[in-house]
Amino acid sequence: MNEIMLYSENRLSELGNFITPSTAVKDKDWYLETKGSDTTKWWFEDGEMFATRVIYNIEFQTVSGELYVRFDYNKLFGDFIGRANEGYGIIITDRQNRPVLTEHVGQMDDDQLQSLSR
C-alpha cells in the first residue's frame, strides 16, 4: 500500500496527512460511486490502482466517511508481469471490461482485448 486516506463527512479541515474532509473529493467519480455502495470498489485511473469503501457510524446509521487505499501497481502485479510462458498471455480488466494489465497478448488492439476479456 502506498497511501491510506480517510475522507471524513464530518471534518471541515485536514488532520495531518491521513484525514481530509470529503469535500476535497466530492466531484470524483470514485467518491460518488463509493458513497452509494456497501461494497469495496476497485479503481484504476491515470496509472493508479486503489480501493475505496464507505465507513458507517453504526450508532447513528449514517456515513462517517470513505476509506481510500492506493496500491503499488508494480508490486501488486509484479509476479504476473514478465512471467507468462510463450503462447500464453494475461489480461486483467476493470468492471467495464477495459484492459488494466496486458502481458504477452501480441499485437491486439483495444477492441480485440475487450472482446477477449469478456
Side-chain angles (χ1 to χ4, degrees):
M1 291 181 279
N2 284 349
E3 178 183 22
I4 298 175
M5 182 67 73
L6 175 65
Y7 291 98
S8 173
E9 297 293 325
N10 304 315
R11 288 205 55 88
L12 298 176
S13 62
E14 292 183 4
L15 179 62
N17 61 354
F18 177 69
I19 300 176
T20 299
S22 294
T23 55
V25 292
K26 68 179 180 173
D27 295 328
K28 301 277 187 184
D29 289 339
W30 66 260
Y31 169 79
L32 298 171
E33 190 170 327
T34 299
K35 193 163 176 173
S37 175
D38 290 334
T39 63
T40 300
K41 299 289 185 181
W42 289 89
W43 305 86
F44 186 78
E45 294 178 356
D46 302 323
E48 299 283 334
M49 175 164 272
F50 57 96
T52 59
R53 186 172 181 101
V54 73
I55 299 171
Y56 287 101
N57 179 322
I58 296 171
E59 182 179 355
F60 298 110
Q61 297 182 347
T62 59
V63 174
S64 292
E66 296 74 31
L67 180 65
Y68 171 100
V69 180
R70 186 169 49 91
F71 296 91
D72 184 318
Y73 178 83
N74 290 322
K75 286 184 181 177
L76 192 61
F77 293 114
D79 288 343
F80 296 112
I81 299 171
R83 296 206 180 190
N85 294 328
E86 188 66 35
Y88 295 94
I90 298 169
I91 300 172
I92 297 176
T93 64
D94 64 13
R95 65 185 156 275
Q96 283 85 31
N97 286 328
R98 294 179 301 217
V100 172
L101 170 71
T102 59
E103 283 290 316
H104 303 285
V105 292
Q107 300 298 320
M108 293 182 165
D109 62 27
D110 285 344
D111 290 335
Q112 291 171 314
L113 289 171
Q114 283 184 351
S115 176
L116 183 59
S117 69
R118 285 188 204 99

